Amino acid sequence: MATSALPPVVDTDTWQRQLDELRAREKAATRELDAIAAQRRRLPMVEMPDYTLEGEDGPVRLADVFGDASQLIVYNHMWFPGQEWQCGGCTGFTSQFTRLEVLGNYDARFVVVTQGPIDEALAYKKRVGNAMTWYSTANSPFGDDVGAPLDGGFAVNVFLRDGDTVYRTWHTTGRGTEQLSHTFALIDLLPYGRQEVWQDSPEGWPQGPTYSRWGGSEDIAALYGPARVG
């Protein structure tokens, strides 16, 4: 959306002084995130049942979803039965992850788990050009047990495996998932930010309804799916 609103123009010294003031807050936030991560590493954990999920090659125990790793990040993708296009937010979020092999250096893996039947889930994955490994929990209580029920509910869960025993170590949902996303981090650097009405922006800044600039699942498929141009 075009706008005539612009930040004030100042001399370089004034700009640098105000940038330095902001930088002090940014560094304080970085140190707080470090402290939060340290507390997260000290969380206790909960032993999980021996769930069986469905993968591309058939049934697979949760312990085997880890592959050779001992740590596992699971994104629980929302699923609505009978719908051709699933949650746009989940579809856009998971489309960002195309270079996950680096996690192997940290003894970890990142996968998608959804409540949709595995055949439908894999067809959807292909339709939207998703690069991650998908599993289905349609025949297991796993999704319900980790805060991602059918017909609504997305989440991030982290697990630790010790031999064949799996433990749940962390969970978040809602805006807690933003820390895994590079999209919002980039957008929040822009002068106009996310341009959503809930944000604290200067008078005259372009703003619209929340989610109005988010791409839908069909948009993601057009950009990254097998029918994309280019």
Side-chain angles (χ1 to χ4, degrees):
M1 179 183 298
T3 178
S4 58
L6 296 170
V9 178
V10 296
D11 61 83
T12 301
D13 289 343
T14 300
W15 177 81
Q16 187 64 55
R17 184 171 62 253
Q18 294 195 28
L19 177 63
D20 291 343
E21 292 173 358
L22 176 62
R23 183 62 44 77
R25 295 187 65 184
E26 291 174 339
K27 292 298 185 182
T30 298
R31 289 190 290 273
E32 176 62 12
L33 288 174
D34 288 342
I36 289 170
Q39 182 176 352
R40 186 182 298 117
R41 290 191 293 273
R42 288 166 173 79
L43 281 175
M45 58 188 184
V46 178
E47 184 174 345
M48 302 296 287
D50 189 14
Y51 295 102
T52 297
L53 283 60
E54 296 286 333
E56 187 171 0
D57 297 321
V60 56
R61 296 174 59 215
L62 178 60
D64 294 328
V65 173
F66 287 72
D68 295 330
S70 68
Q71 301 169 103
L72 179 69
I73 301 169
V74 170
Y75 183 78
N76 296 94
H77 195 296
M78 293 175 68
W79 191 267
F80 299 93
Q83 298 296 313
E84 179 183 6
W85 298 105
Q86 298 296 328
C87 171
C90 290
T91 304
F93 179 83
T94 58
S95 72
Q96 300 173 68
F97 301 101
T98 59
R99 299 289 187 272
L100 292 168
E101 292 79 8
V102 67
L103 290 177
N105 295 338
Y106 297 88
D107 191 26
R109 190 183 187 206
F110 191 160
V111 302
V112 171
V113 172
T114 186
Q115 294 268 31
I118 187 62
D119 290 346
E120 294 180 21
L122 293 176
Y124 184 73
K125 169 191 171 180
K126 180 178 181 180
R127 187 180 312 133
V128 298
N130 193 283
M132 301 175 74
T133 302
W134 283 48
Y135 295 91
S136 167
T137 185
N139 299 314
S140 164
F142 177 81
D144 291 333
D145 292 350
V146 297
L150 188 64
D151 284 342
F154 67 96
V156 174
N157 283 280
V158 180
F159 303 94
L160 178 67
R161 178 174 62 87
D162 182 19
D164 285 337
T165 305
V166 175
Y167 300 91
R168 189 184 187 198
T169 65
W170 188 74
H171 165 266
T172 195
T173 189
R175 293 191 64 199
T177 63
E178 286 185 9
Q179 63 181 291
L180 282 70
S181 165
H182 69 258
T183 301
F184 289 127
L186 292 174
I187 295 170
D188 286 342
L189 293 177
L190 301 174
Y192 297 135
R194 304 187 195 187
Q195 303 178 43
E196 296 187 354
V197 292
W198 61 271
Q199 288 199 296
D200 181 1
S201 295
E203 185 70 27
W205 252 228
Q207 288 184 297
T210 302
Y211 311 127
S212 60
R213 292 179 179 271
W214 290 30
S217 298
E218 295 173 77
D219 301 315
I220 301 300
L223 288 171
Y224 306 119
R228 67 187 183 278
V229 176

